Amino acid sequence: MRIERNSAWELDPAVPITPQITRILRERIIQNDLKPGDRISESELARAYDVSRQPIREAFIKLADQGLVEVRPQRGTIITKIGYAAVLDARFLREAIEADIAKILAADPDRHVIAELRDQLARQASLDRRDPGAFIRLDELFHRTLAEAAGKGGAWKQIEGLKSQMDRVRYLALGEFGIETLVRQHRAIVDQIELGDVAGSNKAVRHHLREVLKDLPQIVEANRSSFQLPDGDMPLPVNAPIQGGN
């Protein structure tokens, strides 16, 4: 089994191993380094990372809960296809939760939080466009910062496990959906929060999360073998009018 040279995928012996292995494998799946249909082996990964098989086994269980792998007894562990229905469910949940998070922040804007978010926007804008993985990590930080600032860090942790399939699509989409556009949408969210515009912040988040997947049918068509489609058919467009702006 190949292990790509990536400093973000190296183990820190001073930190618990299982969460690191889980994160590394999750990132490799999301970034399509491990592709749908690939087989992964406890023993090979244990040798590659120089750890026992126990943390690998525990990581497989967590990844299976997220729908990223299928553990087949006596047959091995397989990277799953991207579940189309799971992508839509994740977007729905993120929109419902994060729109309310933005409303909480806009109701009482905190200048320290705004300053931190502006700093993150600057870092997002300065990234090398050839490194989409770096943008996704900053994107995660941005949305987590919003949740924690609203006192909803626990809700964000719940979302993280549910949105893995959406994250796989987001990584494929970065080639079609420019980082500049995503940064601009992030900036619009921060602008509305800073203005104290509750309805505007709600709408900005909903627009952002729907636009991220607006090209989903085209992405599916370009990567058809990577998706599990409803009844094997090409799905209808996913977007609906923005609602819940108040």
Coordinates of all heavy atoms in Angstrom, one line a residue, residues 77-125:
T77 N -11.2 -4.6 3.5 CA -11.9 -3.3 3.7 C -11.8 -2.5 2.4 O -10.7 -2.4 1.9 CB -11.3 -2.5 4.9 OG1 -11.5 -3.3 6.1 CG2 -12.0 -1.2 5.1
I78 N -13.0 -2.0 2.0 CA -13.1 -1.3 0.7 C -13.4 0.1 0.9 O -14.3 0.4 1.7 CB -14.1 -2.0 -0.2 CG1 -13.9 -3.5 -0.3 CG2 -14.2 -1.4 -1.6 CD1 -12.7 -3.9 -0.9
I79 N -12.8 1.0 0.1 CA -13.2 2.4 0.1 C -14.6 2.5 -0.7 O -14.7 2.0 -1.8 CB -12.2 3.3 -0.6 CG1 -10.8 3.1 0.0 CG2 -12.6 4.8 -0.6 CD1 -10.7 3.4 1.4
T80 N -15.6 3.1 0.0 CA -16.9 3.1 -0.6 C -17.0 4.2 -1.7 O -16.2 5.1 -1.8 CB -18.0 3.5 0.4 OG1 -17.7 4.8 1.0 CG2 -18.0 2.5 1.6
K81 N -18.0 4.0 -2.5 CA -18.3 5.1 -3.5 C -19.0 6.2 -2.7 O -19.4 6.1 -1.6 CB -19.3 4.6 -4.6 CG -18.7 3.6 -5.5 CD -19.6 3.2 -6.6 CE -19.0 2.3 -7.7 NZ -19.8 2.0 -8.8
I82 N -19.0 7.4 -3.4 CA -19.6 8.6 -2.7 C -21.2 8.4 -2.8 O -21.7 8.3 -3.9 CB -19.2 9.9 -3.5 CG1 -17.7 10.0 -3.4 CG2 -19.9 11.1 -2.8 CD1 -17.2 11.1 -4.3
G83 N -21.8 8.4 -1.7 CA -23.3 8.3 -1.7 C -24.0 9.6 -2.0 O -23.9 10.5 -1.3
Y84 N -24.7 9.6 -3.2 CA -25.3 10.8 -3.6 C -26.4 11.3 -2.6 O -26.4 12.5 -2.2 CB -26.0 10.6 -5.0 CG -26.7 11.8 -5.5 CD1 -25.9 12.8 -6.2 CD2 -28.1 12.0 -5.4 CE1 -26.6 13.9 -6.7 CE2 -28.7 13.1 -5.9 CZ -27.9 14.1 -6.5 OH -28.6 15.2 -7.0
A85 N -27.2 10.4 -2.1 CA -28.2 10.8 -1.1 C -27.5 11.3 0.2 O -28.0 12.3 0.8 CB -29.1 9.6 -0.8
A86 N -26.4 10.7 0.6 CA -25.7 11.1 1.8 C -25.2 12.5 1.6 O -25.1 13.3 2.6 CB -24.6 10.2 2.1
V87 N -24.7 12.9 0.4 CA -24.2 14.2 0.1 C -25.4 15.2 0.3 O -25.2 16.3 1.0 CB -23.7 14.3 -1.3 CG1 -23.4 15.8 -1.7 CG2 -22.5 13.5 -1.5
L88 N -26.5 15.0 -0.2 CA -27.7 15.9 0.0 C -28.1 16.0 1.4 O -28.4 17.1 1.9 CB -28.8 15.4 -0.9 CG -28.6 15.4 -2.4 CD1 -29.9 15.1 -3.2 CD2 -27.9 16.6 -2.9
D89 N -28.1 14.9 2.1 CA -28.5 14.9 3.5 C -27.5 15.8 4.3 O -27.9 16.6 5.2 CB -28.5 13.5 4.1 CG -29.7 12.7 3.7 OD1 -30.6 13.3 3.1 OD2 -29.7 11.4 3.8
A90 N -26.2 15.6 4.0 CA -25.2 16.4 4.7 C -25.3 17.9 4.5 O -25.2 18.7 5.4 CB -23.8 15.9 4.3
R91 N -25.6 18.2 3.2 CA -25.8 19.7 2.9 C -27.0 20.2 3.6 O -27.0 21.3 4.1 CB -25.9 19.9 1.4 CG -25.9 21.3 1.0 CD -26.6 21.6 -0.3 NE -28.0 21.1 -0.3 CZ -29.0 21.7 0.2 NH1 -28.8 22.9 0.9 NH2 -30.2 21.3 0.2
F92 N -28.1 19.4 3.6 CA -29.3 19.9 4.3 C -29.0 20.1 5.8 O -29.4 21.2 6.4 CB -30.4 18.8 4.2 CG -31.6 19.1 4.9 CD1 -32.6 20.0 4.4 CD2 -31.9 18.6 6.2 CE1 -33.8 20.2 5.1 CE2 -33.0 18.8 6.9 CZ -34.0 19.7 6.3
L93 N -28.3 19.2 6.5 CA -28.0 19.4 7.9 C -27.1 20.6 8.1 O -27.3 21.3 9.1 CB -27.4 18.1 8.4 CG -28.3 16.9 8.5 CD1 -27.6 15.6 8.8 CD2 -29.4 17.1 9.6
R94 N -26.1 20.7 7.3 CA -25.1 21.8 7.5 C -25.9 23.1 7.3 O -25.7 24.1 8.1 CB -24.0 21.7 6.5 CG -22.9 20.7 6.8 CD -21.7 20.9 6.0 NE -21.0 22.1 6.4 CZ -19.9 22.5 5.8 NH1 -19.3 21.8 4.9 NH2 -19.3 23.7 6.2
E95 N -26.7 23.2 6.3 CA -27.4 24.5 6.1 C -28.3 24.8 7.3 O -28.3 26.0 7.7 CB -28.3 24.4 4.8 CG -29.0 25.6 4.5 CD -29.9 25.5 3.2 OE1 -29.5 24.8 2.3 OE2 -31.0 26.1 3.2
A96 N -29.0 23.9 7.8 CA -29.9 24.1 8.9 C -29.2 24.6 10.1 O -29.6 25.6 10.8 CB -30.7 22.9 9.2
I97 N -28.1 23.9 10.4 CA -27.3 24.2 11.6 C -26.5 25.5 11.5 O -26.5 26.4 12.3 CB -26.4 23.0 12.0 CG1 -27.3 21.8 12.4 CG2 -25.4 23.4 13.1 CD1 -26.5 20.5 12.6
E98 N -25.8 25.6 10.3 CA -24.8 26.8 10.2 C -25.6 28.1 9.9 O -25.1 29.1 10.3 CB -23.8 26.5 9.1 CG -22.9 25.3 9.5 CD -21.7 25.2 8.6 OE1 -21.0 26.2 8.4 OE2 -21.5 24.2 8.0
A99 N -26.8 28.0 9.3 CA -27.5 29.2 9.2 C -27.9 29.8 10.5 O -27.9 31.0 10.8 CB -28.8 29.0 8.3
D100 N -28.3 28.9 11.5 CA -28.6 29.4 12.8 C -27.4 29.9 13.6 O -27.5 30.8 14.4 CB -29.3 28.2 13.6 CG -30.8 28.2 13.3 OD1 -31.3 29.1 12.6 OD2 -31.5 27.3 13.8
I101 N -26.3 29.2 13.3 CA -25.0 29.7 13.9 C -24.7 31.1 13.5 O -24.4 32.0 14.3 CB -23.9 28.8 13.6 CG1 -23.9 27.5 14.4 CG2 -22.5 29.4 13.8 CD1 -23.0 26.4 13.9
A102 N -24.9 31.4 12.2 CA -24.6 32.8 11.7 C -25.6 33.8 12.3 O -25.2 34.9 12.6 CB -24.7 32.8 10.2
K103 N -26.8 33.3 12.5 CA -27.8 34.2 13.1 C -27.5 34.6 14.5 O -27.6 35.7 15.0 CB -29.2 33.6 13.0 CG -29.8 33.5 11.6 CD -31.0 32.6 11.6 CE -32.2 33.1 12.4 NZ -33.4 32.2 12.2
I104 N -27.0 33.6 15.3 CA -26.5 33.8 16.7 C -25.4 34.8 16.7 O -25.4 35.8 17.5 CB -26.1 32.5 17.3 CG1 -27.3 31.6 17.5 CG2 -25.4 32.8 18.6 CD1 -26.9 30.1 17.9
L105 N -24.4 34.7 15.8 CA -23.3 35.6 15.8 C -23.7 37.0 15.4 O -23.2 38.0 15.9 CB -22.2 35.1 14.9 CG -21.6 33.7 15.3 CD1 -20.6 33.2 14.2 CD2 -20.8 33.9 16.6
A106 N -24.6 37.1 14.4 CA -25.0 38.4 13.9 C -25.9 39.1 14.9 O -25.9 40.4 14.9 CB -25.8 38.2 12.6
A107 N -26.5 38.4 15.8 CA -27.4 39.0 16.8 C -26.5 39.8 17.8 O -27.1 40.8 18.4 CB -28.2 38.0 17.5
D108 N -25.3 39.4 18.0 CA -24.4 40.1 18.9 C -22.9 40.0 18.4 O -22.1 39.3 18.9 CB -24.5 39.5 20.3 CG -23.7 40.3 21.4 OD1 -23.4 41.4 21.1 OD2 -23.4 39.6 22.4
P109 N -22.6 40.8 17.4 CA -21.3 40.7 16.7 C -20.1 40.9 17.8 O -20.2 41.9 18.5 CB -21.3 41.8 15.7 CG -22.7 42.0 15.4 CD -23.4 41.8 16.7
D110 N -19.1 40.1 17.7 CA -18.0 40.2 18.6 C -16.8 40.6 17.7 O -16.4 39.9 16.8 CB -17.7 38.8 19.2 CG -16.6 38.8 20.2 OD1 -15.5 39.5 19.9 OD2 -16.7 38.2 21.3
R111 N -16.2 41.8 18.0 CA -15.1 42.3 17.2 C -13.9 41.4 17.2 O -13.2 41.4 16.2 CB -14.7 43.7 17.6 CG -14.2 43.8 19.0 CD -14.0 45.3 19.4 NE -13.4 45.5 20.8 CZ -12.1 45.4 21.1 NH1 -11.3 45.2 20.1 NH2 -11.7 45.6 22.3
H112 N -13.7 40.7 18.3 CA -12.5 39.8 18.3 C -12.7 38.6 17.4 O -11.8 38.1 16.7 CB -12.3 39.3 19.7 CG -11.9 40.4 20.7 ND1 -10.8 41.1 20.6 CD2 -12.6 40.9 21.8 CE1 -10.7 42.0 21.6 NE2 -11.8 41.9 22.3
V113 N -14.0 38.1 17.3 CA -14.3 37.0 16.4 C -14.2 37.5 15.0 O -13.6 36.8 14.1 CB -15.7 36.4 16.7 CG1 -16.1 35.4 15.6 CG2 -15.8 35.8 18.1
I114 N -14.7 38.7 14.7 CA -14.6 39.2 13.4 C -13.2 39.4 12.9 O -12.8 39.0 11.8 CB -15.4 40.6 13.3 CG1 -16.8 40.5 13.7 CG2 -15.2 41.2 11.9 CD1 -17.6 39.6 12.8
A115 N -12.3 39.9 13.8 CA -10.9 40.0 13.5 C -10.3 38.7 13.1 O -9.5 38.6 12.2 CB -10.2 40.7 14.6
E116 N -10.6 37.6 13.9 CA -10.0 36.3 13.6 C -10.5 35.8 12.3 O -9.7 35.2 11.5 CB -10.5 35.3 14.8 CG -10.2 33.9 14.4 CD -8.8 33.5 14.2 OE1 -7.9 34.3 14.7 OE2 -8.5 32.5 13.6
L117 N -11.8 36.0 12.0 CA -12.3 35.5 10.7 C -11.7 36.3 9.5 O -11.4 35.7 8.5 CB -13.9 35.7 10.7 CG -14.6 34.8 11.7 CD1 -16.1 35.2 11.8 CD2 -14.5 33.3 11.2
R118 N -11.5 37.6 9.7 CA -10.9 38.4 8.7 C -9.4 37.9 8.4 O -9.0 37.8 7.3 CB -10.8 39.9 9.1 CG -12.2 40.6 9.2 CD -12.8 40.8 7.9 NE -14.1 41.6 8.0 CZ -15.0 41.6 7.1 NH1 -14.9 40.9 6.0 NH2 -16.1 42.3 7.3
D119 N -8.7 37.6 9.5 CA -7.4 37.0 9.3 C -7.5 35.7 8.5 O -6.6 35.4 7.7 CB -6.8 36.8 10.7 CG -5.4 36.2 10.6 OD1 -4.5 36.9 10.1 OD2 -5.2 35.0 11.0
Q120 N -8.4 34.9 8.8 CA -8.6 33.6 8.1 C -8.9 33.8 6.6 O -8.4 33.1 5.8 CB -9.6 32.7 8.7 CG -9.3 32.2 10.1 CD -10.3 31.3 10.7 OE1 -11.1 30.7 9.9 NE2 -10.4 31.1 12.0
L121 N -9.7 34.8 6.4 CA -10.0 35.2 5.0 C -8.8 35.6 4.2 O -8.6 35.2 3.0 CB -11.1 36.3 4.9 CG -12.5 36.0 5.3 CD1 -13.3 37.2 5.4 CD2 -13.1 35.0 4.4
A122 N -7.9 36.3 4.8 CA -6.7 36.7 4.2 C -5.8 35.5 3.9 O -5.2 35.4 2.8 CB -5.9 37.7 5.1
R123 N -5.7 34.6 4.8 CA -5.0 33.4 4.6 C -5.6 32.5 3.5 O -4.8 32.0 2.6 CB -4.9 32.6 5.9 CG -4.0 33.2 6.9 CD -4.3 32.7 8.3 NE -4.1 31.3 8.5 CZ -4.5 30.5 9.5 NH1 -5.1 31.1 10.5 NH2 -4.2 29.3 9.5
Q124 N -6.9 32.5 3.4 CA -7.5 31.7 2.3 C -7.2 32.4 1.0 O -6.9 31.7 0.0 CB -9.1 31.7 2.5 CG -9.5 30.9 3.7 CD -11.0 31.1 4.0 OE1 -11.8 31.5 3.1 NE2 -11.5 30.8 5.2
A125 N -7.3 33.7 0.9 CA -7.1 34.4 -0.3 C -5.6 34.3 -0.8 O -5.4 34.4 -2.0 CB -7.4 35.8 -0.2

